[in-house]
Amino acid sequence: MQYDFSNLNDRRHTNSLKWDVSEGELPMWVADMDFKTAPEIIEALQEKVGKGIFGYTIVPDEWYEAISGWWQRRHKFKIEREWLIFCTGVVPAISSAVRKMTTVGENVLVQTPVYNIFFNSIVNNGRNIVENKLLYDGKEYNIDFVDLEKKLANPQTTMMVICNPHNPVGKIWDKETLERIGELCWQYHVLALSDEIHCDLTNMNYNYIPFASVSEKCAKNSITCIAPTKAFNIAGLQTAAVMIPNEVIRHKMNRGLNTDEVAEPNAFAIEAAIVAFTFGEAWLNQLRLYLEENKTIVRAFINSQLPELYIVQSHATYLLWIDCSRVIQDTTCLCQFIRRETGLYLSEGGVYGENGKSFIRMNLACPKERLLDGLQRLNNGIGLYEKSKKIRALGSKIKERKVHFCD
Ligand SMILES: Cc1ncc(COP(=O)(O)O)c(C=O)c1O
Protein backbone atom coordinates (compact mmCIF):
# COMPACT_ATOMS: atom_id res chain seq x y z
CA MET A 1 0.00 0.00 0.00
CA GLN A 2 1.20 3.46 -0.88
CA TYR A 3 0.73 6.07 1.85
CA ASP A 4 0.33 9.76 1.11
CA PHE A 5 2.32 12.31 3.11
CA SER A 6 1.63 15.28 0.86
CA ASN A 7 -1.80 16.27 2.19
CA LEU A 8 -1.81 19.80 3.64
CA ASN A 9 -3.98 18.89 6.64
CA ASP A 10 -5.44 21.98 8.26
CA ARG A 11 -4.87 21.75 12.00
CA ARG A 12 -5.87 25.29 12.89
CA HIS A 13 -8.71 25.62 15.40
CA THR A 14 -8.31 22.00 16.57
CA ASN A 15 -6.75 22.82 19.96
CA SER A 16 -3.38 21.74 18.58
CA LEU A 17 -0.43 22.96 20.65
CA LYS A 18 1.60 23.27 17.46
CA TRP A 19 -1.02 24.99 15.33
CA ASP A 20 -2.63 27.28 17.89
CA VAL A 21 -0.87 30.21 16.23
CA SER A 22 -1.96 33.39 14.50
CA GLU A 23 -3.38 33.34 10.99
CA GLY A 24 -0.58 33.17 8.43
CA GLU A 25 1.97 31.77 10.86
CA LEU A 26 3.78 28.54 10.04
CA PRO A 27 4.81 26.46 13.08
CA MET A 28 7.94 24.33 12.71
CA TRP A 29 8.81 24.02 16.37
CA VAL A 30 7.35 21.33 18.70
CA ALA A 31 8.06 17.66 17.83
CA ASP A 32 4.67 16.90 16.32
CA MET A 33 4.23 15.97 12.65
CA ASP A 34 1.72 17.43 10.20
CA PHE A 35 0.89 13.99 8.83
CA LYS A 36 -2.15 11.92 9.71
CA THR A 37 -1.15 8.80 11.59
CA ALA A 38 -1.11 5.39 9.90
CA PRO A 39 -4.56 4.49 8.44
CA GLU A 40 -4.38 1.19 10.33
CA ILE A 41 -4.35 3.14 13.61
CA ILE A 42 -7.15 5.47 12.50
CA GLU A 43 -9.29 2.48 11.56
CA ALA A 44 -8.76 0.75 14.90
CA LEU A 45 -9.63 3.93 16.80
CA GLN A 46 -12.71 4.52 14.65
CA GLU A 47 -13.86 1.04 15.52
CA LYS A 48 -13.33 1.82 19.17
CA VAL A 49 -15.27 5.08 18.86
CA GLY A 50 -18.02 3.20 17.05
CA LYS A 51 -18.56 1.02 20.10
CA GLY A 52 -19.30 4.17 22.07
CA ILE A 53 -18.14 2.95 25.48
CA PHE A 54 -14.98 4.38 26.97
CA GLY A 55 -14.70 2.76 30.36
CA TYR A 56 -11.61 1.82 32.36
CA THR A 57 -8.98 0.02 30.34
CA ILE A 58 -6.63 -2.83 31.18
CA VAL A 59 -3.29 -3.72 29.59
CA PRO A 60 -3.80 -7.00 27.68
CA ASP A 61 -1.24 -9.62 26.58
CA GLU A 62 -1.35 -8.22 23.03
CA TRP A 63 0.23 -4.98 24.24
CA TYR A 64 3.29 -6.79 25.63
CA GLU A 65 3.50 -8.99 22.53
CA ALA A 66 3.25 -6.04 20.16
CA ILE A 67 6.10 -4.19 21.86
CA SER A 68 8.43 -7.15 22.21
CA GLY A 69 7.64 -8.27 18.64
CA TRP A 70 8.51 -4.84 17.28
CA TRP A 71 11.79 -4.58 19.20
CA GLN A 72 12.73 -8.10 18.18
CA ARG A 73 11.95 -7.51 14.49
CA ARG A 74 13.21 -3.97 14.10
CA HIS A 75 15.85 -3.53 16.76
CA LYS A 76 17.07 -7.12 17.25
CA PHE A 77 16.48 -6.92 20.97
CA LYS A 78 14.47 -9.36 23.02
CA ILE A 79 12.26 -7.66 25.59
CA GLU A 80 10.75 -10.02 28.15
CA ARG A 81 7.09 -9.50 28.96
CA GLU A 82 7.67 -8.78 32.64
CA TRP A 83 10.15 -5.99 31.89
CA LEU A 84 7.39 -3.73 30.57
CA ILE A 85 5.13 -1.32 32.44
CA PHE A 86 2.55 0.88 30.75
CA CYS A 87 2.90 4.60 31.35
CA THR A 88 0.92 7.60 30.11
CA GLY A 89 4.00 9.27 28.66
CA VAL A 90 7.74 9.42 28.62
CA VAL A 91 7.92 12.70 30.52
CA PRO A 92 5.60 11.40 33.28
CA ALA A 93 7.87 8.33 33.50
CA ILE A 94 11.01 10.44 33.77
CA SER A 95 9.53 12.70 36.43
CA SER A 96 8.32 9.67 38.32
CA ALA A 97 11.76 8.05 38.11
CA VAL A 98 13.41 11.21 39.38
CA ARG A 99 11.06 11.27 42.36
CA LYS A 100 11.26 7.57 43.15
CA MET A 101 14.86 6.69 42.35
CA THR A 102 16.68 9.80 43.63
CA THR A 103 16.20 12.08 46.61
CA VAL A 104 15.79 15.83 46.95
CA GLY A 105 19.06 17.69 46.56
CA GLU A 106 20.78 14.98 44.52
CA ASN A 107 22.15 15.55 41.04
CA VAL A 108 20.65 14.26 37.82
CA LEU A 109 23.03 14.42 34.87
CA VAL A 110 21.95 15.40 31.36
CA GLN A 111 23.93 15.92 28.16
CA THR A 112 23.26 19.39 26.81
CA PRO A 113 22.00 20.67 24.48
CA VAL A 114 19.09 18.39 25.22
CA TYR A 115 15.28 18.12 25.19
CA ASN A 116 14.34 20.96 27.52
CA ILE A 117 11.60 19.15 29.45
CA PHE A 118 14.29 17.02 31.13
CA PHE A 119 15.23 20.18 33.03
CA ASN A 120 11.65 20.53 34.32
CA SER A 121 11.50 16.91 35.51
CA ILE A 122 14.67 17.50 37.52
CA VAL A 123 14.19 21.02 38.86
CA ASN A 124 10.47 20.73 39.60
CA ASN A 125 11.27 17.82 41.88
CA GLY A 126 13.96 19.66 43.81
CA ARG A 127 16.94 17.85 42.27
CA ASN A 128 19.93 19.58 40.69
CA ILE A 129 20.73 19.54 37.02
CA VAL A 130 24.32 18.56 36.28
CA GLU A 131 25.37 19.16 32.71
CA ASN A 132 27.77 17.05 30.74
CA LYS A 133 28.05 19.41 27.80
CA LEU A 134 28.32 17.64 24.47
CA LEU A 135 31.41 18.56 22.45
CA TYR A 136 30.68 20.29 19.16
CA ASP A 137 33.49 20.32 16.63
CA GLY A 138 31.70 22.50 14.10
CA LYS A 139 30.27 19.43 12.33
CA GLU A 140 28.79 17.05 14.86
CA TYR A 141 28.54 16.27 18.55
CA ASN A 142 30.45 13.82 20.73
CA ILE A 143 30.65 13.05 24.41
CA ASP A 144 33.25 14.58 26.70
CA PHE A 145 34.00 11.41 28.67
CA VAL A 146 36.53 13.05 31.01
CA ASP A 147 33.90 15.51 32.16
CA LEU A 148 31.24 12.78 32.25
CA GLU A 149 33.32 10.58 34.54
CA LYS A 150 34.13 13.48 36.86
CA LYS A 151 30.45 14.31 37.24
CA LEU A 152 29.25 10.73 37.61
CA ALA A 153 31.94 10.15 40.25
CA ASN A 154 30.37 12.83 42.45
CA PRO A 155 28.47 10.81 45.07
CA GLN A 156 25.62 13.33 44.88
CA THR A 157 24.98 12.32 41.25
CA THR A 158 22.52 9.43 41.33
CA MET A 159 20.84 9.44 37.92
CA MET A 160 21.83 10.12 34.34
CA VAL A 161 19.27 10.77 31.61
CA ILE A 162 20.43 9.61 28.18
CA CYS A 163 18.62 10.75 25.05
CA ASN A 164 18.99 7.93 22.53
CA PRO A 165 18.76 9.02 19.71
CA HIS A 166 19.45 12.52 20.88
CA ASN A 167 17.01 15.41 20.64
CA PRO A 168 17.87 18.06 19.39
CA VAL A 169 21.22 17.08 17.84
CA GLY A 170 19.82 14.01 16.07
CA LYS A 171 22.72 11.74 16.96
CA ILE A 172 22.35 7.97 17.16
CA TRP A 173 24.73 6.86 19.89
CA ASP A 174 26.86 3.91 18.81
CA LYS A 175 27.35 0.70 20.75
CA GLU A 176 30.78 1.61 22.05
CA THR A 177 29.56 4.97 23.38
CA LEU A 178 26.56 3.43 25.11
CA GLU A 179 28.71 0.69 26.58
CA ARG A 180 31.15 3.25 27.95
CA ILE A 181 28.31 5.28 29.50
CA GLY A 182 26.88 2.09 30.99
CA GLU A 183 30.25 1.10 32.44
CA LEU A 184 30.72 4.50 34.09
CA CYS A 185 27.16 4.56 35.49
CA TRP A 186 27.72 1.11 36.92
CA GLN A 187 31.09 2.02 38.42
CA TYR A 188 29.74 5.12 40.16
CA HIS A 189 26.33 3.69 41.14
CA VAL A 190 24.41 6.10 38.96
CA LEU A 191 21.10 4.84 37.57
CA ALA A 192 20.87 5.25 33.78
CA LEU A 193 17.56 6.34 32.31
CA SER A 194 17.48 6.04 28.54
CA ASP A 195 14.79 8.02 26.72
CA GLU A 196 14.35 6.20 23.41
CA ILE A 197 11.18 7.91 22.20
CA HIS A 198 12.80 8.89 18.86
CA CYS A 199 14.28 5.44 18.20
CA ASP A 200 12.08 4.54 15.24
CA LEU A 201 12.75 7.77 13.42
CA THR A 202 16.16 6.97 12.04
CA ASN A 203 17.29 7.70 8.50
CA MET A 204 16.95 4.83 6.01
CA ASN A 205 19.73 2.27 6.56
CA TYR A 206 20.45 3.55 10.07
CA ASN A 207 19.41 1.76 13.21
CA TYR A 208 19.45 2.84 16.79
CA ILE A 209 20.86 0.61 19.51
CA PRO A 210 18.78 0.06 22.66
CA PHE A 211 20.85 1.06 25.70
CA ALA A 212 19.78 -2.05 27.62
CA SER A 213 20.97 -4.28 24.77
CA VAL A 214 24.64 -3.36 24.79
CA SER A 215 25.89 -5.03 27.97
CA GLU A 216 24.82 -6.83 31.11
CA LYS A 217 25.71 -3.75 33.15
CA CYS A 218 23.56 -1.51 30.96
CA ALA A 219 20.63 -3.91 31.24
CA LYS A 220 20.94 -4.30 34.99
CA ASN A 221 21.28 -0.63 35.77
CA SER A 222 18.73 1.07 33.56
CA ILE A 223 15.22 2.26 32.96
CA THR A 224 14.31 2.68 29.29
CA CYS A 225 11.39 4.81 28.11
CA ILE A 226 9.81 3.88 24.79
CA ALA A 227 6.64 4.90 22.95
CA PRO A 228 4.91 4.79 19.57
CA THR A 229 3.98 8.46 19.91
CA LYS A 230 6.77 10.26 18.01
CA ALA A 231 7.09 7.75 15.19
CA PHE A 232 3.33 7.47 14.60
CA ASN A 233 2.36 11.05 15.50
CA ILE A 234 -0.01 10.10 18.29
CA ALA A 235 1.46 12.08 21.21
CA GLY A 236 -2.01 13.28 22.20
CA LEU A 237 -3.05 9.71 22.96
CA GLN A 238 -0.60 9.52 25.85
CA THR A 239 0.74 6.04 25.46
CA ALA A 240 4.23 4.90 26.43
CA ALA A 241 6.09 2.15 28.25
CA VAL A 242 9.00 1.76 30.60
CA MET A 243 11.24 -1.24 30.12
CA ILE A 244 13.27 -2.42 33.09
CA PRO A 245 15.18 -5.72 33.03
CA ASN A 246 16.30 -5.41 36.67
CA GLU A 247 13.62 -6.77 38.99
CA VAL A 248 14.52 -4.60 41.97
CA ILE A 249 14.54 -1.36 40.01
CA ARG A 250 11.38 -2.46 38.23
CA HIS A 251 9.47 -3.09 41.44
CA LYS A 252 10.44 0.31 42.79
CA MET A 253 9.62 2.09 39.56
CA ASN A 254 6.29 0.27 39.30
CA ARG A 255 5.40 1.62 42.73
CA GLY A 256 6.49 5.11 41.67
CA LEU A 257 4.41 5.09 38.49
CA ASN A 258 1.36 3.81 40.35
CA THR A 259 1.72 6.26 43.21
CA ASP A 260 1.96 9.05 40.67
CA GLU A 261 -1.13 7.63 38.92
CA VAL A 262 0.54 7.49 35.52
CA ALA A 263 0.34 3.73 34.95
CA GLU A 264 -3.27 3.53 33.75
CA PRO A 265 -4.21 3.85 30.09
CA ASN A 266 -6.95 5.99 28.64
CA ALA A 267 -9.46 4.28 26.36
CA PHE A 268 -7.40 4.73 23.16
CA ALA A 269 -3.84 4.31 24.40
CA ILE A 270 -3.65 0.54 24.23
CA GLU A 271 -5.30 -0.03 20.82
CA ALA A 272 -3.15 2.65 19.24
CA ALA A 273 0.08 1.15 20.60
CA ILE A 274 -0.83 -2.41 19.64
CA VAL A 275 -1.79 -1.49 16.09
CA ALA A 276 1.25 0.76 15.62
CA PHE A 277 3.68 -1.90 16.77
CA THR A 278 1.91 -4.73 14.95
CA PHE A 279 0.80 -3.24 11.63
CA GLY A 280 2.70 0.05 11.41
CA GLU A 281 5.87 -1.12 9.73
CA ALA A 282 5.05 -0.32 6.10
CA TRP A 283 3.70 3.14 6.97
CA LEU A 284 6.72 3.93 9.11
CA ASN A 285 9.18 2.88 6.41
CA GLN A 286 7.49 5.15 3.90
CA LEU A 287 7.40 7.98 6.42
CA ARG A 288 11.14 7.63 7.03
CA LEU A 289 11.76 7.81 3.31
CA TYR A 290 9.63 10.96 3.07
CA LEU A 291 11.44 12.56 6.00
CA GLU A 292 14.78 11.74 4.44
CA GLU A 293 13.71 13.41 1.19
CA ASN A 294 12.70 16.46 3.25
CA LYS A 295 16.13 16.48 4.87
CA THR A 296 17.76 16.42 1.44
CA ILE A 297 15.56 19.34 0.32
CA VAL A 298 16.50 21.42 3.37
CA ARG A 299 20.21 20.65 2.99
CA ALA A 300 20.21 21.60 -0.69
CA PHE A 301 18.28 24.80 0.02
CA ILE A 302 20.51 25.89 2.87
CA ASN A 303 23.70 25.07 0.96
CA SER A 304 22.62 27.14 -1.99
CA GLN A 305 20.58 29.97 -0.40
CA LEU A 306 21.83 30.28 3.16
CA PRO A 307 25.45 29.09 3.24
CA GLU A 308 26.03 31.08 6.45
CA LEU A 309 23.92 28.43 8.24
CA TYR A 310 25.11 24.89 8.89
CA ILE A 311 22.95 21.80 9.49
CA VAL A 312 24.56 19.58 12.09
CA GLN A 313 25.17 16.04 10.81
CA SER A 314 22.48 13.73 12.12
CA HIS A 315 20.91 10.38 11.35
CA ALA A 316 17.74 10.43 13.42
CA THR A 317 14.61 12.43 14.29
CA TYR A 318 12.76 14.86 12.05
CA LEU A 319 14.32 17.79 13.86
CA LEU A 320 17.17 19.70 12.27
CA TRP A 321 19.72 21.37 14.50
CA ILE A 322 21.00 24.37 12.63
CA ASP A 323 24.15 26.25 13.56
CA CYS A 324 23.54 30.00 13.15
CA SER A 325 26.74 31.17 14.84
CA ARG A 326 27.92 32.94 11.70
CA VAL A 327 24.78 35.07 11.86
CA ILE A 328 24.27 35.52 15.60
CA GLN A 329 25.45 34.14 18.94
CA ASP A 330 22.02 33.98 20.60
CA THR A 331 19.09 32.97 18.39
CA THR A 332 16.39 34.11 20.85
CA CYS A 333 16.08 37.45 19.17
CA LEU A 334 16.58 35.96 15.68
CA CYS A 335 13.69 33.52 16.17
CA GLN A 336 11.42 36.29 17.44
CA PHE A 337 12.43 38.44 14.49
CA ILE A 338 11.78 35.66 11.94
CA ARG A 339 8.40 34.90 13.50
CA ARG A 340 7.39 38.54 13.52
CA GLU A 341 8.57 39.27 9.99
CA THR A 342 7.69 36.03 8.20
CA GLY A 343 5.38 34.03 10.49
CA LEU A 344 7.81 31.10 10.62
CA TYR A 345 7.84 29.70 14.16
CA LEU A 346 11.08 27.88 15.04
CA SER A 347 12.59 26.73 18.34
CA GLU A 348 15.43 28.85 19.67
CA GLY A 349 18.43 26.73 20.64
CA GLY A 350 18.97 28.34 24.05
CA VAL A 351 16.02 26.46 25.56
CA TYR A 352 18.00 23.23 25.20
CA GLY A 353 20.87 24.60 27.27
CA GLU A 354 23.29 27.50 27.27
CA ASN A 355 25.49 25.77 24.69
CA GLY A 356 22.56 25.59 22.27
CA LYS A 357 22.16 29.36 22.10
CA SER A 358 23.58 29.91 18.64
CA PHE A 359 21.39 27.20 17.07
CA ILE A 360 17.81 26.87 15.93
CA ARG A 361 15.75 23.69 15.80
CA MET A 362 13.53 23.14 12.82
CA ASN A 363 10.82 20.49 12.53
CA LEU A 364 10.65 19.24 8.96
CA ALA A 365 7.87 16.67 9.40
CA CYS A 366 5.41 18.26 7.03
CA PRO A 367 4.37 18.00 3.37
CA LYS A 368 7.03 19.21 0.93
CA GLU A 369 4.89 22.14 -0.21
CA ARG A 370 4.75 23.42 3.37
CA LEU A 371 8.44 22.72 3.86
CA LEU A 372 9.32 24.85 0.85
CA ASP A 373 7.13 27.63 2.23
CA GLY A 374 9.04 27.36 5.53
CA LEU A 375 12.40 27.48 3.80
CA GLN A 376 11.39 30.52 1.80
CA ARG A 377 10.30 32.24 5.00
CA LEU A 378 13.58 31.28 6.66
CA ASN A 379 15.50 32.72 3.74
CA ASN A 380 13.50 35.96 3.85
CA GLY A 381 13.79 36.15 7.62
CA ILE A 382 17.55 35.73 7.68
CA GLY A 383 17.93 38.16 4.78
CA LEU A 384 15.83 40.80 6.55
CA TYR A 385 17.67 40.17 9.80
CA GLU A 386 21.08 40.65 8.18
CA LYS A 387 19.83 43.83 6.55
CA SER A 388 18.46 45.20 9.81
CA LYS A 389 21.73 44.28 11.54
CA LYS A 390 23.62 46.34 8.97
CA ILE A 391 21.24 49.25 9.38
CA ARG A 392 21.58 49.07 13.17
CA ALA A 393 25.36 48.93 12.90
CA LEU A 394 25.32 51.92 10.60
CA GLY A 395 22.97 53.72 13.01
CA SER A 396 25.27 53.14 15.94
CA LYS A 397 28.28 54.26 13.89
CA ILE A 398 26.46 57.49 13.09
CA LYS A 399 25.61 57.85 16.77
CA GLU A 400 29.24 57.15 17.73
CA ARG A 401 30.40 59.75 15.26
CA LYS A 402 27.86 62.21 16.60
CA VAL A 403 29.12 61.67 20.12
CA HIS A 404 32.62 62.05 18.84
CA PHE A 405 31.64 65.16 16.95
CA CYS A 406 29.88 66.64 19.97
CA ASP A 407 32.90 65.92 22.12
C1 LIG B 1 13.35 13.20 23.94
C2 LIG B 1 11.89 13.33 24.24
N1 LIG B 1 11.37 12.70 25.29
C3 LIG B 1 10.05 12.81 25.59
C4 LIG B 1 9.20 13.55 24.82
C5 LIG B 1 7.75 13.67 25.20
O1 LIG B 1 7.26 12.44 25.57
P1 LIG B 1 5.75 12.26 26.08
O2 LIG B 1 4.88 13.05 25.18
O3 LIG B 1 5.53 10.78 25.97
O4 LIG B 1 5.71 12.72 27.50
C6 LIG B 1 9.71 14.24 23.71
C7 LIG B 1 8.84 15.06 22.88
O5 LIG B 1 9.25 15.76 22.00
C8 LIG B 1 11.09 14.11 23.40
O6 LIG B 1 11.63 14.73 22.35
Side-chain angles (χ1 to χ4, degrees), residues 31 89-92 115 118 163 167 195 197-198 230:
V90 167
V91 169
Y115 177 54
F118 289 172
C163 200
N167 171 14
D195 176 342
I197 196 169
H198 291 279
K230 289 292 142 191

Side-chain angles (χ1 to χ4, degrees), residues 240-268:
V242 290
M243 189 266 288
I244 311 172
N246 181 318
E247 201 183 336
V248 178
I249 299 174
R250 189 167 64 242
H251 174 77
K252 236 179 144 172
M253 190 60 190
N254 196 12
R255 294 310 316 142
L257 293 170
N258 276 282
T259 312
D260 289 341
E261 309 295 354
V262 291
E264 266 133 47
N266 67 62
F268 301 102

Side-chain angles (χ1 to χ4, degrees), residues 295-332:
K295 284 185 188 177
T296 306
I297 290 172
V298 180
R299 265 178 217 289
F301 185 94
I302 288 195
N303 285 345
S304 69
Q305 308 294 314
L306 289 165
E308 63 274 42
L309 304 188
Y310 170 74
I311 304 175
V312 173
Q313 278 175 23
S314 84
H315 299 114
T317 83
Y318 49 72
L319 307 161
L320 288 183
W321 188 237
I322 305 175
D323 181 348
C324 302
S325 57
R326 277 182 280 176
V327 177
I328 195 166
Q329 289 311 308
D330 183 349
T331 59
T332 313

Side-chain angles (χ1 to χ4, degrees), residues 340-355:
R340 193 177 63 238
E341 296 298 323
T342 74
L344 177 63
Y345 183 178
L346 300 161
S347 303
E348 64 212 48
V351 302
Y352 306 98
E354 183 73 22
N355 55 345

Side-chain angles (χ1 to χ4, degrees), residues 30-32 88-94 114-115 117-118 163-167 195-198 226-227 229-230 235-236 238-240 318-319 361:
V30 64
D32 176 328
T88 55
V90 167
V91 169
I94 296 172
V114 78
Y115 177 54
I117 309 301
F118 289 172
C163 200
N164 175 38
H166 192 95
N167 171 14
D195 176 342
E196 304 188 353
I197 196 169
H198 291 279
I226 51 179
T229 46
K230 289 292 142 191
Q238 302 185 323
T239 181
Y318 49 72
L319 307 161
R361 196 188 76 169

Side-chain angles (χ1 to χ4, degrees), residues 63-254:
W63 181 81
Y64 298 92
E65 284 155 15
I67 294 177
S68 52
W70 182 269
W71 257 260
Q72 181 80 63
R73 282 196 311 280
R74 291 191 71 93
H75 307 305
K76 311 288 169 265
F77 181 49
K78 184 163 170 39
I79 297 179
E80 301 293 345
R81 184 193 198 282
E82 64 270 19
W83 296 357
L84 291 166
I85 309 169
F86 174 86
C87 183
T88 55
V90 167
V91 169
I94 296 172
S95 295
S96 208
V98 166
R99 280 190 290 276
K100 190 70 183 178
M101 311 305 289
T102 71
T103 59
V104 171
E106 287 182 348
N107 302 333
V108 178
L109 185 141
V110 290
Q111 298 182 296
T112 50
V114 78
Y115 177 54
N116 50 324
I117 309 301
F118 289 172
F119 305 140
N120 300 1
S121 295
I122 299 166
V123 172
N124 292 346
N125 288 299
R127 277 69 168 168
N128 308 314
I129 298 166
V130 168
E131 278 181 76
N132 169 230
K133 292 185 177 161
L134 293 174
L135 295 173
Y136 177 56
D137 63 6
K139 277 202 163 130
E140 61 167 335
Y141 283 87
N142 281 297
I143 292 175
D144 179 348
F145 272 101
V146 175
D147 179 74
L148 179 64
E149 176 157 12
K150 195 173 103 204
K151 287 169 179 166
L152 291 177
N154 179 346
Q156 277 299 102
T157 306
T158 51
M159 182 184 282
M160 168 172 180
V161 181
I162 302 152
C163 200
N164 175 38
H166 192 95
N167 171 14
V169 311
K171 180 121 181 171
I172 302 178
W173 300 115
D174 62 29
K175 184 168 185 286
E176 194 202 353
T177 301
L178 294 173
E179 208 167 352
R180 236 174 128 182
I181 294 174
E183 187 65 41
L184 289 172
C185 285
W186 181 268
Q187 185 180 346
Y188 295 109
H189 308 285
V190 174
L191 176 64
L193 186 148
S194 187
D195 176 342
E196 304 188 353
I197 196 169
H198 291 279
C199 73
D200 288 304
L201 292 165
T202 51
N203 288 5
M204 303 307 282
N205 304 320
Y206 283 86
N207 269 324
Y208 108 106
I209 298 162
F211 180 77
S213 74
V214 301
S215 73
E216 183 84 6
K217 287 177 184 169
C218 289
K220 280 192 172 154
N221 184 38
S222 63
I223 295 173
T224 298
C225 299
I226 51 179
T229 46
K230 289 292 142 191
F232 291 94
N233 207 30
I234 51 173
L237 292 177
Q238 302 185 323
T239 181
V242 290
M243 189 266 288
I244 311 172
N246 181 318
E247 201 183 336
V248 178
I249 299 174
R250 189 167 64 242
H251 174 77
K252 236 179 144 172
M253 190 60 190
N254 196 12

